[in-house]
Short mmCIF file of all heavy atoms in Angstrom, two decimals:
data_model
loop_
_atom_site.label_atom_id
_atom_site.label_comp_id
_atom_site.label_asym_id
_atom_site.label_seq_id
_atom_site.Cartn_x
_atom_site.Cartn_y
_atom_site.Cartn_z
N VAL A 15 -19.27 -6.19 5.26
CA VAL A 15 -18.44 -6.94 6.20
C VAL A 15 -17.07 -7.16 5.55
O VAL A 15 -16.97 -7.84 4.54
CB VAL A 15 -19.07 -8.31 6.54
CG1 VAL A 15 -18.23 -9.03 7.59
CG2 VAL A 15 -20.51 -8.16 7.00
N GLY A 16 -16.04 -6.58 6.14
CA GLY A 16 -14.68 -6.81 5.65
C GLY A 16 -14.50 -6.49 4.17
O GLY A 16 -13.83 -7.23 3.45
N GLY A 17 -15.11 -5.40 3.72
CA GLY A 17 -14.95 -5.00 2.32
C GLY A 17 -15.89 -5.69 1.35
O GLY A 17 -15.85 -5.44 0.15
N ILE A 18 -16.74 -6.58 1.86
CA ILE A 18 -17.72 -7.28 1.01
C ILE A 18 -19.12 -6.83 1.42
O ILE A 18 -19.45 -6.80 2.62
CB ILE A 18 -17.60 -8.81 1.15
CG1 ILE A 18 -16.21 -9.27 0.72
CG2 ILE A 18 -18.67 -9.53 0.34
CD1 ILE A 18 -15.92 -10.73 1.01
N GLY A 19 -19.96 -6.52 0.45
CA GLY A 19 -21.35 -6.13 0.73
C GLY A 19 -22.28 -7.30 0.50
O GLY A 19 -22.35 -7.84 -0.60
N TYR A 20 -23.00 -7.71 1.54
CA TYR A 20 -23.96 -8.80 1.44
C TYR A 20 -25.36 -8.23 1.31
O TYR A 20 -25.81 -7.47 2.18
CB TYR A 20 -23.91 -9.70 2.69
CG TYR A 20 -22.62 -10.48 2.83
CD1 TYR A 20 -21.55 -9.97 3.56
CD2 TYR A 20 -22.48 -11.73 2.23
CE1 TYR A 20 -20.36 -10.68 3.68
CE2 TYR A 20 -21.30 -12.45 2.35
CZ TYR A 20 -20.24 -11.91 3.08
OH TYR A 20 -19.07 -12.63 3.20
N ARG A 21 -26.07 -8.58 0.23
CA ARG A 21 -27.47 -8.17 0.09
C ARG A 21 -28.32 -9.14 0.91
O ARG A 21 -28.26 -10.34 0.72
CB ARG A 21 -27.93 -8.18 -1.35
CG ARG A 21 -29.42 -7.78 -1.49
CD ARG A 21 -29.84 -7.53 -2.91
NE ARG A 21 -29.11 -6.42 -3.53
CZ ARG A 21 -29.33 -5.12 -3.29
NH1 ARG A 21 -30.26 -4.76 -2.43
NH2 ARG A 21 -28.64 -4.19 -3.92
N VAL A 22 -29.09 -8.60 1.85
CA VAL A 22 -29.91 -9.41 2.74
C VAL A 22 -31.37 -8.98 2.58
O VAL A 22 -31.70 -7.81 2.80
CB VAL A 22 -29.47 -9.25 4.22
CG1 VAL A 22 -30.29 -10.16 5.12
CG2 VAL A 22 -27.98 -9.54 4.38
N PHE A 23 -32.23 -9.91 2.20
CA PHE A 23 -33.66 -9.63 2.14
C PHE A 23 -34.21 -9.63 3.56
O PHE A 23 -33.87 -10.51 4.36
CB PHE A 23 -34.38 -10.68 1.28
CG PHE A 23 -34.00 -10.60 -0.17
CD1 PHE A 23 -32.98 -11.40 -0.69
CD2 PHE A 23 -34.63 -9.70 -1.02
CE1 PHE A 23 -32.61 -11.31 -2.02
CE2 PHE A 23 -34.26 -9.60 -2.36
CZ PHE A 23 -33.25 -10.41 -2.86
N ALA A 24 -35.05 -8.65 3.87
CA ALA A 24 -35.55 -8.53 5.24
C ALA A 24 -36.96 -7.95 5.24
O ALA A 24 -37.40 -7.37 4.25
CB ALA A 24 -34.61 -7.63 6.06
N ALA A 25 -37.63 -8.12 6.37
CA ALA A 25 -38.99 -7.61 6.53
C ALA A 25 -38.97 -6.08 6.62
O ALA A 25 -37.96 -5.49 7.04
CB ALA A 25 -39.62 -8.20 7.79
N PRO A 26 -40.08 -5.42 6.25
CA PRO A 26 -40.14 -3.95 6.35
C PRO A 26 -39.79 -3.42 7.74
O PRO A 26 -39.19 -2.36 7.85
CB PRO A 26 -41.60 -3.64 6.00
CG PRO A 26 -42.02 -4.77 5.10
CD PRO A 26 -41.29 -5.99 5.64
N SER A 27 -40.14 -4.17 8.80
CA SER A 27 -39.83 -3.72 10.16
C SER A 27 -38.33 -3.62 10.39
O SER A 27 -37.84 -2.74 11.11
CB SER A 27 -40.47 -4.66 11.19
OG SER A 27 -40.02 -5.99 10.98
N VAL A 28 -37.57 -4.53 9.79
CA VAL A 28 -36.10 -4.50 9.90
C VAL A 28 -35.55 -3.35 9.07
O VAL A 28 -34.70 -2.56 9.52
CB VAL A 28 -35.47 -5.84 9.45
CG1 VAL A 28 -33.95 -5.74 9.40
CG2 VAL A 28 -35.91 -6.98 10.36
N LEU A 29 -36.05 -3.21 7.84
CA LEU A 29 -35.57 -2.16 6.94
C LEU A 29 -35.86 -0.76 7.49
O LEU A 29 -35.05 0.15 7.34
CB LEU A 29 -36.21 -2.32 5.55
CG LEU A 29 -35.92 -3.64 4.83
CD1 LEU A 29 -36.74 -3.74 3.55
CD2 LEU A 29 -34.44 -3.79 4.54
N ALA A 30 -37.00 -0.61 8.14
CA ALA A 30 -37.40 0.71 8.66
C ALA A 30 -36.49 1.18 9.79
O ALA A 30 -36.33 2.39 9.99
CB ALA A 30 -38.84 0.66 9.14
N THR A 31 -35.91 0.24 10.54
CA THR A 31 -35.08 0.63 11.69
C THR A 31 -33.58 0.61 11.36
O THR A 31 -32.77 1.01 12.19
CB THR A 31 -35.34 -0.30 12.89
OG1 THR A 31 -35.12 -1.67 12.49
CG2 THR A 31 -36.77 -0.16 13.39
N ALA A 32 -33.21 0.12 10.17
CA ALA A 32 -31.81 0.09 9.77
C ALA A 32 -31.34 1.51 9.43
O ALA A 32 -32.05 2.27 8.79
CB ALA A 32 -31.62 -0.83 8.57
N VAL A 33 -30.14 1.85 9.89
CA VAL A 33 -29.59 3.20 9.67
C VAL A 33 -28.28 3.08 8.89
O VAL A 33 -27.35 2.41 9.35
CB VAL A 33 -29.33 3.92 11.01
CG1 VAL A 33 -28.76 5.31 10.77
CG2 VAL A 33 -30.60 3.98 11.84
N PRO A 34 -28.21 3.68 7.71
CA PRO A 34 -26.96 3.62 6.93
C PRO A 34 -25.76 4.08 7.75
O PRO A 34 -25.83 5.09 8.46
CB PRO A 34 -27.23 4.57 5.75
CG PRO A 34 -28.72 4.55 5.60
CD PRO A 34 -29.25 4.44 7.00
N GLY A 35 -24.67 3.30 7.68
CA GLY A 35 -23.46 3.64 8.42
C GLY A 35 -23.40 3.10 9.82
O GLY A 35 -22.37 3.16 10.49
N LYS A 36 -24.52 2.57 10.32
CA LYS A 36 -24.56 1.99 11.67
C LYS A 36 -24.37 0.48 11.59
O LYS A 36 -24.72 -0.16 10.60
CB LYS A 36 -25.90 2.28 12.36
CG LYS A 36 -26.16 3.75 12.60
CD LYS A 36 -25.39 4.25 13.81
CE LYS A 36 -25.79 5.70 14.14
NZ LYS A 36 -25.05 6.22 15.26
N VAL A 37 -23.85 -0.12 12.68
CA VAL A 37 -23.64 -1.56 12.72
C VAL A 37 -24.97 -2.27 12.95
O VAL A 37 -25.79 -1.84 13.77
CB VAL A 37 -22.65 -1.94 13.85
CG1 VAL A 37 -22.54 -3.46 14.01
CG2 VAL A 37 -21.28 -1.36 13.56
N LEU A 38 -25.18 -3.34 12.21
CA LEU A 38 -26.40 -4.15 12.35
C LEU A 38 -26.02 -5.62 12.30
O LEU A 38 -25.20 -6.03 11.47
CB LEU A 38 -27.38 -3.83 11.21
CG LEU A 38 -28.68 -4.63 11.17
CD1 LEU A 38 -29.55 -4.33 12.39
CD2 LEU A 38 -29.45 -4.33 9.89
N LYS A 39 -26.60 -6.41 13.20
CA LYS A 39 -26.41 -7.86 13.16
C LYS A 39 -27.73 -8.53 12.86
O LYS A 39 -28.74 -8.22 13.49
CB LYS A 39 -25.85 -8.39 14.48
CG LYS A 39 -25.67 -9.91 14.45
CD LYS A 39 -25.06 -10.48 15.70
CE LYS A 39 -24.90 -11.98 15.56
NZ LYS A 39 -24.27 -12.61 16.74
N LEU A 40 -27.73 -9.43 11.89
CA LEU A 40 -28.93 -10.19 11.55
C LEU A 40 -28.62 -11.68 11.53
O LEU A 40 -27.57 -12.10 11.05
CB LEU A 40 -29.46 -9.77 10.17
CG LEU A 40 -29.99 -8.34 10.02
CD1 LEU A 40 -30.36 -8.06 8.58
CD2 LEU A 40 -31.18 -8.09 10.94
N HIS A 41 -29.55 -12.47 12.08
CA HIS A 41 -29.50 -13.93 11.93
C HIS A 41 -29.98 -14.21 10.51
O HIS A 41 -30.96 -13.62 10.06
CB HIS A 41 -30.42 -14.61 12.94
CG HIS A 41 -30.05 -14.29 14.36
ND1 HIS A 41 -29.15 -15.03 15.07
CD2 HIS A 41 -30.46 -13.30 15.18
CE1 HIS A 41 -29.01 -14.52 16.27
NE2 HIS A 41 -29.80 -13.46 16.37
N THR A 42 -29.30 -15.10 9.80
CA THR A 42 -29.63 -15.26 8.39
C THR A 42 -29.97 -16.70 7.99
O THR A 42 -29.47 -17.66 8.57
CB THR A 42 -28.47 -14.78 7.49
OG1 THR A 42 -27.27 -15.46 7.87
CG2 THR A 42 -28.28 -13.29 7.60
N PHE A 43 -30.82 -16.79 6.99
CA PHE A 43 -31.11 -18.03 6.29
C PHE A 43 -30.44 -17.92 4.93
O PHE A 43 -30.70 -16.96 4.19
CB PHE A 43 -32.62 -18.23 6.13
CG PHE A 43 -32.98 -19.41 5.27
CD1 PHE A 43 -33.01 -20.69 5.80
CD2 PHE A 43 -33.27 -19.24 3.92
CE1 PHE A 43 -33.33 -21.78 5.01
CE2 PHE A 43 -33.59 -20.33 3.12
CZ PHE A 43 -33.61 -21.61 3.67
N HIS A 44 -29.57 -18.86 4.61
CA HIS A 44 -28.82 -18.82 3.36
C HIS A 44 -29.48 -19.79 2.38
O HIS A 44 -29.36 -21.00 2.52
CB HIS A 44 -27.36 -19.22 3.63
CG HIS A 44 -26.46 -19.07 2.45
ND1 HIS A 44 -25.18 -19.54 2.45
CD2 HIS A 44 -26.65 -18.51 1.22
CE1 HIS A 44 -24.61 -19.28 1.27
NE2 HIS A 44 -25.49 -18.65 0.52
N LEU A 45 -30.18 -19.23 1.41
CA LEU A 45 -30.84 -20.04 0.38
C LEU A 45 -29.84 -20.34 -0.72
O LEU A 45 -29.20 -19.44 -1.26
CB LEU A 45 -32.04 -19.27 -0.20
CG LEU A 45 -32.75 -19.93 -1.38
CD1 LEU A 45 -33.55 -21.13 -0.92
CD2 LEU A 45 -33.66 -18.94 -2.10
N VAL A 46 -29.68 -21.64 -1.04
CA VAL A 46 -28.78 -22.05 -2.12
C VAL A 46 -29.55 -22.96 -3.06
O VAL A 46 -30.02 -24.03 -2.67
CB VAL A 46 -27.54 -22.80 -1.57
CG1 VAL A 46 -26.62 -23.21 -2.72
CG2 VAL A 46 -26.78 -21.94 -0.58
N ARG A 47 -29.70 -22.47 -4.30
CA ARG A 47 -30.33 -23.27 -5.36
C ARG A 47 -29.41 -23.28 -6.56
O ARG A 47 -28.45 -22.51 -6.61
CB ARG A 47 -31.69 -22.67 -5.74
CG ARG A 47 -32.74 -22.81 -4.67
CD ARG A 47 -34.07 -22.23 -5.13
NE ARG A 47 -35.09 -22.37 -4.12
CZ ARG A 47 -36.17 -21.61 -4.04
NH1 ARG A 47 -36.36 -20.66 -4.93
NH2 ARG A 47 -37.07 -21.81 -3.10
#
């Protein structure tokens, strides 16, 4: 996003359908410890 790469942990079902170079939108939970 805008020159920044965000690593997002996701379920195998999400990873299996993700296509490199294609746009993907995910709702996220931001864990801060």
Side-chain angles (χ1 to χ4, degrees):
V15 184
I18 299 171
Y20 292 92
R21 179 169 298 284
V22 183
F23 293 94
S27 57
V28 173
L29 299 174
T31 56
V33 179
K36 296 282 187 181
V37 173
L38 178 65
K39 179 177 181 178
L40 294 175
H41 300 271
T42 55
F43 173 83
H44 186 189
L45 175 72
V46 180
R47 291 181 179 157

